[in-house]
Amino acid sequence: MPVKKKRKAPGVAAAVAEDAGLKKCKISSYCRSQPPARLISGEEEFSRKKCLAWFYEYAGPDEVVGPEGMEKFCEDIGVEPENIIMLVLAWKLEAESMGFFTKEEWLKGMTSLQCDCTEKLQSRFEFLRSQLNDISSFKNIYRYAFDFARDKDQRSLDIDTAKSMLALLLGRTWPLFSVFYQYLEQSKYRVMNKDQWYNVLEFSRTVHADLSNYDEDGACFRGWNQVVACVELALQFGSPRSIPTLPFTALPARLFLYDLLKAREKRTPRGPVLLDEFVEWQKIRQTS
């Protein structure tokens, strides 16, 4: 007959059970007796040291995540380099150059996102996507993209880069994007300046797909557009001396252009010109 085990007192049994529970706990800090307000949640707290170690998994000797490191980083987080999430992430990190993250950018941005490992960043993808649905945030991302994508020794975006970035940002939301893309393909433009870039977003948000509410005078009155078009021609020659050969015969107009070209550091509002030409091009297509 089995030996009957001696029954433990209730108080002793409770103490033994509590001790067994403590032994099963994998994280010692969770097992310490602490006030309820200081208990750590199931998700680990952000660690700057861990975040820095994560950065060095991809950084080169110059302490910068370059093209090779960026490719490995994208592979690890399961996102293609051309995915718009990478642009939003770069915006959050305030990255200066496309394809590169500095240590300072990484630490500042990942700290704001509270991400110190791959899994935590992946859990923030939905938040990053949600920034595209916020009007103010999207506008900031769109404006950031211009400086992020351009060569730092240039003031404008080359047209191929501009088309790629516009496709990423507006391709799925702007009904006229495919038509505008076709226009850029056949146009004379080889670069897109910041004024033009900003105006494209405003145009995409306010002008109807049938162009019925587009107001040329509201954007920039026609006479000024012609002046700017002539300035662009003059800039191709690079000298105010070319003004007499331009299609302006009136002396005041030539003098005005001369003064404008002499102050070349001043920006010209060329954004509306591109859009005026696009609207005219599209209307001709619709009627032909």
Side-chain angles (χ1 to χ4, degrees):
M1 185 174 180
V3 179
K4 191 173 183 180
K5 295 182 180 179
K6 186 176 180 181
R7 186 176 180 182
K8 296 179 181 179
V12 175
V16 171
E18 182 179 356
D19 183 61
L22 290 176
K23 289 180 180 179
K24 291 180 181 179
C25 186
K26 295 181 180 179
I27 304 177
S28 60
S29 62
Y30 279 31
C31 306
R32 295 172 184 166
S33 177
Q34 297 175 346
R38 298 189 61 186
L39 287 176
I40 303 174
S41 64
E43 185 179 349
E44 293 182 20
E45 286 187 334
F46 174 81
S47 167
R48 179 182 173 88
K49 182 178 180 181
K50 187 177 177 181
C51 184
L52 194 58
W54 184 33
F55 168 79
Y56 282 117
E57 290 181 23
Y58 309 107
D62 56 353
E63 296 194 331
V64 173
V65 177
E68 291 185 7
M70 194 69 70
E71 184 178 352
K72 183 177 185 300
F73 173 66
C74 291
E75 183 179 341
D76 287 350
I77 65 175
V79 173
E80 293 294 328
E82 61 271 14
N83 192 301
I84 197 168
I85 284 182
M86 290 303 296
L87 176 61
V88 181
L89 177 62
W91 170 65
K92 275 294 181 182
L93 268 59
E94 299 181 17
E96 184 176 335
S97 301
M98 182 182 290
F100 297 88
F101 291 153
T102 67
K103 184 170 71 173
E104 293 73 19
E105 292 166 351
W106 181 283
L107 284 174
K108 182 179 179 181
M110 294 300 184
T111 300
S112 70
L113 290 169
Q114 291 291 282
C115 295
D116 55 19
C117 64
T118 298
E119 294 73 20
K120 285 186 180 180
L121 180 57
Q122 289 172 326
S123 71
R124 300 289 280 166
F125 282 174
E126 285 305 313
F127 166 74
L128 293 175
R129 288 191 186 96
S130 71
Q131 301 303 290
L132 298 168
N133 299 323
D134 179 81
I135 294 177
S136 177
S137 294
F138 181 80
K139 183 176 182 179
N140 290 334
I141 294 168
Y142 180 90
R143 292 192 167 198
Y144 163 81
F146 180 88
D147 287 321
F148 178 63
R150 70 177 172 83
D151 291 334
K152 296 304 175 278
D153 60 344
Q154 301 293 325
R155 297 182 62 181
S156 300
L157 274 179
D158 71 84
I159 201 65
D160 289 332
T161 301
K163 288 186 295 187
S164 297
M165 295 303 291
L166 287 172
L168 187 65
L169 289 157
L170 301 177
R172 295 185 179 182
T173 58
W174 184 21
L176 275 176
F177 173 75
S178 61
V179 179
F180 185 67
Y181 189 93
Q182 291 175 37
Y183 166 73
L184 292 179
E185 287 273 86
Q186 59 81 52
S187 74
K188 65 180 185 297
Y189 291 95
R190 296 295 173 261
V191 296
M192 183 176 289
N193 64 34
K194 186 173 287 190
D195 285 338
Q196 292 167 335
W197 180 262
Y198 287 1
N199 274 281
V200 169
L201 176 61
E202 188 64 23
F203 184 98
S204 71
R205 286 180 166 181
T206 59
V207 178
H208 299 164
D210 62 0
L211 307 176
S212 59
N213 67 329
Y214 183 70
D215 181 7
E216 295 173 350
D217 293 338
C220 186
F221 69 89
R222 174 58 58 187
W224 174 245
N225 285 345
Q226 292 175 341
V227 170
V228 173
C230 289
V231 172
E232 288 181 324
L233 288 173
L235 289 175
Q236 293 178 12
F237 294 96
S239 171
R241 296 175 184 175
S242 62
I243 289 173
T245 66
L246 293 176
F248 264 97
T249 56
L251 179 61
R254 293 203 301 272
L255 291 176
F256 168 76
L257 288 173
Y258 183 88
D259 291 338
L260 190 59
L261 287 172
K262 288 183 67 177
R264 293 182 66 174
E265 69 277 7
K266 294 183 179 180
R267 297 192 307 171
T268 55
R270 290 178 284 175
V273 177
L274 181 150
L275 295 173
D276 283 350
E277 292 174 351
F278 163 63
V279 171
E280 185 176 353
W281 176 81
Q282 174 63 357
K283 287 181 177 179
I284 292 173
R285 290 177 73 244
Q286 290 174 336
T287 57
S288 61

